[in-house]
Amino acid sequence: MSKKNNDYGIEKSLKNLGISKENKGVSSGGKYFAGGDLLESYSPTDGKLIAKIKTADADDYSKVIETAKAAFKEFRMIPSPKRGEMVRQFGLKLREYKDDLGKLVSYEMGKSLQEGLGEVQEMIDICDYAVGLSRQLHGYTMHSERPGHRMYEQYHPLGIVGIISAFNFPVAVWAWNTALSWICGNVTVWKPSEKTPLCAIACQNIINEVLKENNLPEGISTMIVGDHRIGELLVNDKNVALISFTGSTRVGRIVGKNVAERFGKSILELGGNNAIIITENADLDMSIIGAVFGAVGTAGQRCTSTRRLIIHDSVYDEVKNRLVKAYGQLKIGNPLDENNHVGPLIDQDAVKQYLDSIKKCKKEGGKFAVEGGLLEGANYESGCYVKPCIAEVENSYEIVQHETFAPILYLIKYSTLDEAIALQNDVPQGLSSAIMTQNLREAELFLSQSGSDCGIANVNIGTSGAEIGGAFGGEKETGGGRESGSDVWKYYMRRQTNTINYTTSLPLAQGIKFDL
């Protein structure tokens, strides 16, 4: 590196966030403890050990659940606007710690500093959204068929919400879930990714300040760092009413099945294989910007990363040539250096999957317009830096049907828009999609019932960068879950229908007579 990590203020940020060289990975009841194995967090930025974390065992898990259960009994009785006030104060704390937390996200996960700061801003935004929503958890009133009766619906808290988050968004996805859970009256138990545990400890430190200052039960927010065994305990625990899981489709199948077997609720945010259709009527300047950021942002490790470009044959060569030129201008290196566009992959396993995917693509017949490979040298000592690459392929290739969490962009040619939409939909995943066009008819067809089959469909923006105001999630092997905005709050509550009889008689529905 041209600069040491200390030059970017990492040590100061860790101190400000309450991160020491050795940490306990369980926060419950305001105390940190853990009786499990030792976990070491290394930065993919420079390969250095950031800190050690003592992880949880089964006994620790039991303590966390008991603390959460006790907190729920009190928290559910606090009026929702008052719960919103707690979330408002949490948002203010995040503003205070934004620079430090954004820097930690960048250093521990590897995304660019701008993306790290943006992730913390997402946390702030969802807090603002949840505060307003805390006064709008409305039900509906219906007309009864029986005279002198009133019917309405209301929503009640579920109880304990379990959140299992992934490394690529180590703080924002937790905030999406927990901010809504809190204003709905739930308490949360968070199992963060083992690849980014320090980000979770920092967040827990921040919310602990709010809980303490407001004399609120500290079990409202608990965190438990552990391996798959802790995840299995959470998923199979009947005390946990809802599991929100972000991760691979393979693990999501297991989570969904196990939660369903105990009649729990689940929100599944799984794999994506997102495409941008570039039509002959597209603004190519916009298209190139959207495609490049979508493909290389977070080093291709977003669930909404652009994996495929489906390009009209009349502009295919021009788009390819402009992409090649743009890729030649990318700066790859330390993500804390704001001059760099692309940081590292999360770890060596991710690098191996990236290299294996390139081999498979070539074996199936893919032709690389921009070659990939591992970057080596003094500036890439962690061994996690790779070259973003571009391959010309057929959509039917097995590797193209698979989600590779890395900066590999596939180019596919089409002739008609119906063909392009069919190619877009012809993958197992269904998260995000986009079309670049200045033709209204093309845009509306893409958004119609015969268009994109994804949970997110955009026009003239890329596949990546969802706002918190809309419901986030996808279809098919993406899991069908929704998080963040719109009416997603209903996922975190149980619906109840109430009928009130204010007469002196008891008429039955459907005109049934039952006289004694």
Side-chain angles (χ1 to χ4, degrees):
M1 298 288 175
S2 59
K3 292 185 177 182
K4 303 243 180 237
N5 66 297
N6 284 349
D7 294 337
Y8 296 101
I10 281 295
E11 296 299 332
K12 182 179 179 182
S13 291
L14 290 171
K15 183 179 180 180
N16 291 342
L17 293 166
I19 305 296
S20 59
K21 291 299 181 183
E22 296 191 4
N23 305 269
K24 302 291 186 181
V26 182
S27 175
S28 179
K31 300 177 181 178
Y32 282 86
F33 56 90
D37 300 327
L38 195 65
L39 174 66
E40 297 179 329
S41 179
Y42 289 88
S43 171
T45 296
D46 54 19
K48 294 180 179 178
L49 175 66
I50 311 173
K52 299 178 181 180
I53 307 96
K54 191 78 169 175
T55 63
D57 59 18
D59 288 340
D60 298 327
Y61 176 82
S62 296
K63 293 176 184 176
V64 165
I65 293 299
E66 290 305 311
T67 303
K69 287 167 64 177
F72 174 62
K73 291 179 181 180
E74 180 177 343
F75 194 51
R76 65 183 175 181
M77 301 306 296
I78 297 174
S80 181
K82 296 294 185 182
R83 300 193 293 256
E85 170 60 18
M86 182 199 84
V87 175
R88 185 188 71 84
Q89 292 181 34
F90 181 52
L92 293 178
K93 291 283 187 183
L94 289 172
R95 287 172 169 87
E96 292 178 24
Y97 288 105
K98 180 177 177 179
D99 288 347
D100 292 322
L101 186 55
K103 197 171 292 184
L104 174 58
V105 168
S106 179
Y107 189 59
E108 188 177 32
M109 185 270 151
K111 63 176 60 177
S112 72
L113 179 58
Q114 284 301 309
E115 291 182 84
L117 294 170
E119 185 169 345
V120 182
Q121 186 61 49
E122 273 195 84
M123 301 175 75
I124 295 168
D125 292 344
I126 196 66
C127 285
D128 289 350
Y129 177 84
V131 171
L133 189 63
S134 67
R135 294 181 181 270
Q136 301 179 68
L137 302 180
H138 50 73
Y140 297 96
T141 299
M142 292 80 73
H143 289 281
S144 173
E145 68 183 60
R146 290 168 283 186
H149 286 61
R150 180 168 68 88
M151 293 178 64
Y152 70 96
E153 290 181 344
Q154 61 178 330
Y155 290 83
H156 296 299
L158 289 173
I160 299 176
V161 170
I163 303 166
I164 303 175
S165 61
F167 74 87
N168 60 330
F169 279 86
V171 296
V173 171
W174 168 72
W176 285 4
N177 284 275
T178 205
L180 294 188
S181 293
W182 289 337
I183 61 107
C184 290
N186 302 307
V187 299
T188 56
V189 177
W190 181 19
K191 181 198 174 301
S193 169
E194 294 169 81
K195 298 181 180 183
T196 51
L198 299 177
C199 289
I201 293 173
C203 290
Q204 188 64 40
N205 287 343
I206 296 170
I207 186 58
N208 280 347
E209 290 183 18
V210 176
L211 298 175
K212 184 177 181 180
E213 290 168 3
N214 289 271
N215 196 30
L216 288 167
E218 289 160 323
I220 290 170
S221 177
T222 54
M223 176 206 65
I224 184 162
V225 177
D227 61 15
H228 66 93
R229 293 170 292 183
I230 296 299
E232 289 167 1
L233 289 173
L234 197 59
V235 166
N236 294 305
D237 192 343
K238 64 181 181 180
N239 292 302
V240 182
L242 169 69
I243 292 289
S244 176
F245 172 81
T246 303
S248 69
T249 297
R250 180 187 65 82
V251 178
R253 291 184 196 278
I254 300 170
V255 171
K257 175 176 177 291
N258 289 355
V259 174
E261 282 184 347
R262 62 177 178 83
F263 296 104
K265 290 186 174 184
S266 62
I267 297 174
L268 302 177
E269 298 289 359
L270 312 177
N273 195 344
N274 316 296
I276 298 176
I277 297 173
I278 300 179
T279 79
E280 69 270 38
N281 298 304
D283 180 324
L284 295 188
D285 291 337
M286 290 174 56
S287 300
I288 296 302
I289 293 171
V292 174
F293 176 75
V296 308
T298 322
Q301 296 173 113
R302 292 185 176 210
C303 50
T304 55
S305 290
T306 305
R307 310 289 176 199
R308 298 174 295 145
L309 284 188
I310 302 170
I311 309 166
H312 192 269
D313 50 20
S314 67
V315 294
Y316 182 89
D317 287 339
E318 182 179 356
V319 170
K320 181 181 74 171
N321 292 336
R322 292 177 69 167
L323 284 169
V324 170
K325 181 179 179 181
Y327 270 53
Q329 298 171 345
L330 291 175
K331 296 178 181 178
I332 307 168
N334 190 323
L336 293 172
D337 183 342
E338 296 189 62
N339 292 313
N340 291 325
H341 301 103
V342 185
L345 294 178
I346 184 66
D347 55 24
Q348 297 291 335
D349 288 339
V351 173
K352 183 179 184 303
Q353 291 175 17
Y354 159 84
L355 295 173
D356 287 346
S357 295
I358 290 175
K359 291 179 183 177
K360 291 177 183 177
C361 183
K362 289 181 176 180
K363 186 175 181 180
E364 289 191 74
K367 306 297 182 184
F368 278 78
V370 176
E371 289 287 344
L374 180 67
L375 287 167
E376 297 176 315
N379 290 334
Y380 310 111
E381 63 263 41
S382 70
C384 296
Y385 291 86
V386 300
K387 301 174 186 177
C389 58
I390 301 173
E392 298 179 83
V393 300
E394 298 294 332
N395 199 66
S396 58
Y397 288 1
E398 182 182 354
I399 191 60
V400 177
Q401 295 284 310
H402 171 77
E403 179 192 37
T404 300
F405 232 49
I408 304 175
L409 180 62
Y410 299 117
L411 306 188
I412 302 161
K413 189 181 295 186
Y414 82 92
S415 298
T416 68
L417 186 56
D418 285 342
E419 178 191 359
I421 292 173
L423 289 168
Q424 138 71 38
N425 294 340
D426 190 22
V427 291
Q429 308 84 1
L431 179 53
S432 186
S433 59
I435 188 170
M436 294 292 187
T437 180
Q438 298 180 82
N439 183 297
L440 179 62
R441 290 177 177 175
E442 290 180 334
E444 290 294 340
L445 178 62
F446 180 73
L447 299 177
S448 74
Q449 61 268 31
S450 60
S452 169
D453 64 0
C454 294
I456 299 170
N458 299 327
V459 176
N460 291 330
I461 62 171
T463 60
S464 192
E467 297 181 29
I468 59 92
F472 179 89
E475 302 299 324
K476 302 189 293 187
E477 289 191 2
T478 302
R482 293 296 185 272
E483 294 173 324
S484 192
S486 186
D487 64 348
V488 169
W489 62 270
K490 294 179 180 179
Y491 276 71
Y492 302 90
M493 304 196 82
R494 59 181 176 88
R495 181 187 302 212
Q496 185 181 79
T497 301
N498 307 118
T499 305
I500 299 171
N501 177 3
Y502 56 90
T503 72
T504 58
S505 61
L506 188 62
L508 302 177
Q510 293 83 49
I512 295 173
K513 300 295 183 182
F514 188 77
D515 297 324
L516 293 177

